Amino acid sequence: MLTLALASVRLRWASFVGSFVALACGVALMATSILVIAATAGVPDQGRQRFSGAPVLVTADLNVDFTPAAGGDTQPTPVPAQPGLPAALLTAVAATGPTVADRTFYAQLADGPGGQVGRAWSAAALGGYRLTAGTAPAADDQIVIGGGSPEQVGRTVRYVTADGPHTATVSGVTEAEAFEHAVFFTDARAARYCPAVGVLAAFGPADAVRRAVDAAGGAGVARVLTGAERAQADPHHLEVSARLDGVQTPLGLSAAVSGGTAVFVVAGTFALSIAQRRRELALLRLIGATRRQLRALVHREALLVGLLASAAGCALGAAGAAPAGRWLVGHDLVPAGFTVPVTWWGLLVAASIGLATALAGVLLSSLKAGLISPGEALAEADAERRSRGALAFRWAGGLLVLGGAIAALVLTARSWPDAAANAADSLALLLPVVAGCVLLAAVLAGPAIRVLTGLPALVARLRGRPAEEGGGIVWATARQSALTAFRRTAATTTPVVLVTAFAGCLLGSIGTIDRSQVSEVRHQLSAADLVVTPAGTPGLNRAVVERVRAVPGVRALVITPTSLLAVDPTGQALVPLGAAAADPAALAEVDRLPVVAGSLADLGPGSVVLSRTWPGAPRVGGTVAVRLADGTPRELRVAALLGTGAETVQAWVTAADAVTGGVGGPALATRIDLRVLPGTDPGRAAAALHTAVDGLGARLTTPREIWSAATDSTEQASWNALLMILGLAIGYAVIALANTLVMTVGDRRRELSLLRLAGATRGQVLRTVAVETLMCVAAGTLLGVLGTAISVGGSWAALTDLVGPTPAVVPWTALGVLAACCAAVALTAAVLPAALALRDRDGRGVLPAAAGAA
């Protein structure tokens, strides 16, 4: 059978081109994804870092121990607001040798870059900073600028910290460092800005430092880091690690989509190949081949194609690793300097997956090949026959999957609407919808074509003409051919359904989620007149808050972020959840929160306003056990419940129950919502507010600008990930579409010749092929839009229940563009081979032979 498989692949190579291309592309993309994921698994050596010069680091690491109610090991959970290293521990470590306390806090020059931080000058040596001009700061009104120019030495500059604006004289500048933008102060000045010590650099023996930490009660409070572990204390290292982790999910989904779609393409290609070779395989059965041998033949063909495609795909994947890394860097998904090394094991894994994909895709086709009976070799007619078993499988499987998907969408909308606000959960919900549409495409293609092709007849009747004039002979012939050749119609329609349904469901659901978040912000700010937001700074300092509050005739709501730790829905771990501290009276007067139970007037010390999606199904008047941001346990009474989404603030507390400081200094307010009181001139109030925030790293804006910014940020955040996931499925489906149409040209040679013998001109025959192809594309688009409507409708229903009225987003433009692309590819793949076939037969006099055969 191996020899026969080799001969079959060599002689019928056109039947396997689509599978080869699909598998090669799939292996290439999987190889590239695996290589990139492997490159993101560990943070590469960043060279000199903030603490490179310290042999031992003691870092603040306060944990809360949590034991699951169902039993299990106690799990330490780091608290979001680390309070800093205890004084006793600092003293104990200092006894082991020289130490340097690192205090890092917010400090930004008026013209400084974003992310600039303040540090004590004694810690500069730890990162290898060297003065390039001037001297170290000797007084509290002197600073050293990291990466500054020599011309700045001696100048008076303005800088902003968490408590407001200050001025200082530049005593010196250092060379620039890639890992941070720093402003250095005297140790005394840094201690006033940031009392908490987050990292202590120790130069004594590591074992002695560990014993000192343990003796001072450092268990669960501090960690001792040496060697490569020291990088974990560097914020730049943590930022790089988080960004690398962030691309692993979409890359993994891309690899999964490429593998799954490759199975679909291979399965479709081999199924069509088996259908075309049915009489040939029956002849093998007639001369003595067993069912097992036929299945083995198909498996060996797939194995040969898989080996060749895997080899080609690995070569393409290795070549595409470097461009993929540059693409990620160019889209700011990974830090600059990110590279993707090519490893042999990554290519081997991709090749193995490619072979498994080929064998999995051909499994059903091999079973069909084994069911061919020897008597089919003697049949005179070559008409297509519908398999009742296949139809029943399509109907049962499609309805089961699609019905289950619809039931899941309804259940989610009613019971867990917060899941619809999460992009990952939405993807899990929409994939069954796409799968159900694809399974039903083969059986619904005919009815869809009947609906679409009935429109010209309907228009003709409305105009008082005979129904036959609705489309003409070309239209009627193309319609009949599409309805009769159901296998070719299904094979053409299915890839279009995959393209439109997957794109529509994904883009529509993500777009609806984004719009719901904007709707939520819009509703919250509907009563506000103006908003103060950061301008190139991480937040709003205390001076901004005080000046804005002092403006007469304006009611200010200051929103300061914090965290609360709660038990997750599974009861297995503590998780930090987003919260905010605000004045209850201002919260009720300025913002409009979607209260579904209780009242904001009941919010006060010892109480909390929660999202109804909070773990544990809280009730108004009941209590919830939480941990504050510094780990302090607290029982809070539920004052009200909000119908908010998962991406917004999930809890509101007063300042008495909020921890807004720790390592890094006090937390900065993120926004100030403003309402102009009755009797106050809006123009004068706005002018006074502009003056109040001028030069303090803040700007005055309107709620409408906030909505627009929210729209832009959510769309940009989703688009890069969508490109990596959606583009692969579309590319594969286009390959399947083109391959299917090219493969069917051989079967249509006699059909096209008979049309010519019946009197049709060459142009009429080609127009018939084109119209038939467009009918299939239109039917696939219609079914894809139906799947899109189901998915988007489910997301919209859940989000409407969660956040209130919100628009449903149907990506009509994207669907139109994709349908046009599918039509262009399908026309090219169908009409061009048909034209070549007609030219060959007209030029070689094959038409009489066709007539005799007829």
Side-chain angles (χ1 to χ4, degrees):
M1 283 296 170
L2 180 59
T3 303
L4 189 59
L6 286 170
S8 178
V9 171
R10 179 172 58 85
L11 295 176
R12 287 184 168 269
W13 61 270
S15 299
F16 300 100
V17 167
S19 297
F20 174 83
V21 173
L23 273 176
C25 293
V27 172
L29 291 169
M30 283 186 282
T32 302
S33 299
I34 291 171
L35 293 175
V36 174
I37 292 174
T40 60
V43 178
D45 184 12
Q46 301 293 304
R48 194 162 61 189
Q49 294 292 311
R50 178 180 289 187
F51 304 111
S52 297
V56 183
L57 296 177
V58 182
T59 66
D61 186 30
L62 181 60
N63 296 307
V64 173
D65 292 333
F66 173 76
T67 302
D73 297 334
T74 300
Q75 301 176 6
T77 303
V79 299
Q82 292 289 334
L85 297 171
L89 189 147
L90 297 177
T91 302
V93 175
T96 65
T99 59
V100 175
D102 180 73
R103 307 173 192 269
T104 303
F105 50 93
Y106 167 59
Q108 186 173 2
L109 299 177
D111 57 351
Q116 204 165 32
V117 297
R119 299 182 63 196
W121 174 249
S122 61
L126 302 178
Y129 282 96
R130 296 180 182 179
L131 288 168
T132 56
T135 61
D140 287 350
D141 62 347
Q142 294 182 342
I143 61 172
V144 170
I145 301 177
S149 62
E151 292 78 10
Q152 292 177 298
V153 176
R155 294 180 180 176
T156 299
V157 295
R158 195 164 180 262
Y159 66 93
V160 179
T161 63
D163 59 354
H166 306 272
T167 58
T169 301
V170 179
S171 64
V173 295
T174 72
E175 58 188 358
E177 297 292 348
F179 54 84
E180 69 179 357
H181 303 288
V183 180
F184 294 99
F185 300 80
T186 62
D187 288 13
R189 189 69 168 175
R192 286 195 291 272
Y193 285 144
C194 181
V197 176
V199 179
L200 182 67
F203 292 85
D207 293 338
V209 172
R210 289 191 177 93
R211 289 193 296 269
V213 170
D214 293 339
V221 177
R223 288 191 305 164
V224 179
L225 305 177
T226 58
E229 292 180 340
R230 295 173 301 163
Q232 300 175 16
D234 190 282
H236 181 62
H237 180 278
L238 298 177
E239 177 189 357
V240 172
S241 178
R243 294 179 67 183
L244 294 179
D245 290 342
V247 301
Q248 290 184 3
T249 298
L251 283 173
L253 288 174
S254 299
V257 168
S258 63
T261 315
V263 171
F264 159 75
V265 174
V266 172
T269 302
F270 272 95
L272 188 57
S273 176
I274 295 300
Q276 291 176 331
R277 299 159 54 196
R278 194 172 186 88
R279 179 174 292 181
E280 171 189 325
L281 296 175
L283 184 60
L284 291 176
R285 291 277 287 121
L286 186 64
I287 62 177
T290 64
R291 300 181 186 272
R292 183 177 181 180
Q293 286 176 323
L294 287 189
R295 289 194 294 267
L297 171 64
V298 176
H299 285 154
R300 283 168 173 76
E301 290 174 349
L303 183 61
L304 290 173
V305 174
L307 285 172
L308 296 174
S310 296
C314 286
L316 292 174
R326 290 193 294 268
W327 186 88
L328 293 172
V329 172
H331 285 74
D332 199 30
L333 296 174
V334 295
F338 175 77
T339 58
V340 182
V342 178
T343 58
W344 65 267
W345 63 266
L347 299 179
L348 181 60
V349 170
S352 301
I353 295 176
L355 290 176
T357 299
L359 295 177
V362 80
L363 180 61
L364 184 60
S365 298
S366 67
L367 295 177
K368 289 183 178 180
L371 296 177
I372 296 176
S373 63
E376 295 187 36
L378 303 177
E380 294 183 3
D382 196 25
E384 293 188 13
R385 295 178 297 276
R386 287 180 179 265
S387 171
R388 293 184 178 180
L391 288 176
F393 172 78
R394 290 275 187 174
W395 275 113
L399 292 177
L400 182 63
V401 174
L402 188 59
I406 295 175
L409 289 172
V410 173
L411 185 63
T412 299
R414 291 186 175 182
S415 303
W416 301 288
D418 55 300
N422 183 276
D425 292 339
S426 295
L427 182 62
L429 290 171
L430 69 88
L431 286 179
V433 175
V434 177
C437 292
V438 170
L439 286 174
L440 290 174
V443 293
L444 293 180
I449 290 176
R450 287 188 175 91
V451 171
L452 292 172
T453 55
L455 294 178
L458 178 61
V459 173
R461 290 192 182 96
L462 293 177
R463 293 181 176 180
R465 300 176 183 176
E468 290 76 7
E469 297 182 13
I473 188 62
V474 170
W475 178 272
T477 305
R479 180 179 185 273
Q480 191 62 31
S481 177
L483 294 176
T484 304
F486 55 85
R487 185 178 294 117
R488 181 173 67 237
T489 298
T492 306
T493 305
T494 301
V496 181
V497 174
L498 177 62
V499 169
T500 54
F502 192 80
C505 291
L506 188 60
L507 293 176
S509 296
I510 298 298
T512 303
I513 292 173
D514 293 343
R515 292 292 180 87
S516 70
Q517 295 172 8
V518 175
S519 297
E520 192 169 3
V521 174
R522 183 171 185 170
H523 180 269
Q524 181 179 346
L525 294 175
S526 59
D529 298 307
L530 297 167
V531 181
V532 176
T533 59
T537 61
L540 303 173
N541 59 72
R542 190 180 304 123
V544 173
V545 173
E546 293 174 353
R547 291 187 184 182
V548 169
R549 281 176 170 168
V551 174
V554 175
R555 184 64 159 154
L557 170 63
V558 181
I559 301 175
T560 305
T562 185
S563 294
L564 294 177
L565 283 86
V567 181
D568 71 349
T570 64
Q572 299 299 312
L574 278 177
V575 291
L577 298 169
D583 176 64
L587 184 63
E589 185 177 351
V590 178
D591 276 5
R592 289 181 179 173
L593 298 180
V595 178
V596 295
S599 173
L600 294 177
D602 296 332
L603 177 62
S607 62
V608 63
V609 173
L610 296 177
S611 166
R612 63 176 174 175
T613 62
W614 189 268
R619 295 183 178 180
V620 174
T623 60
V624 291
V626 299
R627 298 271 187 161
L628 301 186
D630 62 354
T632 304
R634 189 71 58 88
E635 294 278 342
L636 298 178
R637 180 181 56 84
V638 180
L641 291 178
L642 306 177
T644 56
E647 301 297 330
T648 59
V649 174
Q650 293 184 279
W652 293 86
V653 295
T654 63
D657 299 308
V659 177
T660 56
V663 174
L668 302 174
T670 55
R671 201 176 73 202
I672 304 177
D673 299 342
L674 303 168
R675 185 176 183 183
V676 179
L677 299 178
T680 303
D681 181 60
R684 291 185 178 181
L689 289 168
H690 274 295
T691 303
V693 304
D694 184 47
L696 297 180
R699 69 187 184 98
L700 186 67
T701 184
T702 64
R704 181 176 296 276
E705 292 177 340
I706 298 294
W707 308 334
S708 300
T711 303
D712 294 340
S713 62
T714 52
E715 289 179 354
Q716 184 60 38
S718 303
W719 185 245
N720 288 331
L722 293 177
L723 283 177
M724 287 189 284
I725 300 171
L726 183 60
L728 301 179
I730 293 175
Y732 273 124
V734 169
I735 292 173
L737 179 62
N739 179 66
T740 297
L741 292 171
V742 171
M743 286 179 62
T744 57
V745 170
D747 294 341
R748 305 194 67 177
R749 291 180 181 273
R750 177 177 294 181
E751 173 190 341
L752 300 178
S753 298
L754 289 175
L755 286 175
R756 290 284 283 119
L757 283 176
T761 65
R762 190 168 181 268
Q764 287 177 321
V765 173
L766 294 179
R767 285 198 297 273
T768 300
V769 173
V771 171
E772 178 187 347
T773 302
L774 290 178
M775 286 179 180
C776 295
V777 172
T781 303
L782 178 63
L783 297 176
V785 170
L786 177 62
T788 299
I790 294 173
S791 178
V792 173
S795 298
W796 172 81
L799 292 168
T800 299
D801 183 56
L802 188 67
V803 305
T806 185
V809 177
V810 179
W812 295 113
T813 301
L815 291 177
V817 171
L818 291 175
C821 292
C822 289
V825 172
L827 286 174
T828 303
V831 175
L832 184 59
L836 295 176
L838 284 175
R839 185 186 63 181
D840 291 343
R841 288 188 174 260
D842 289 346
R844 296 178 184 177
V846 185
L847 288 176

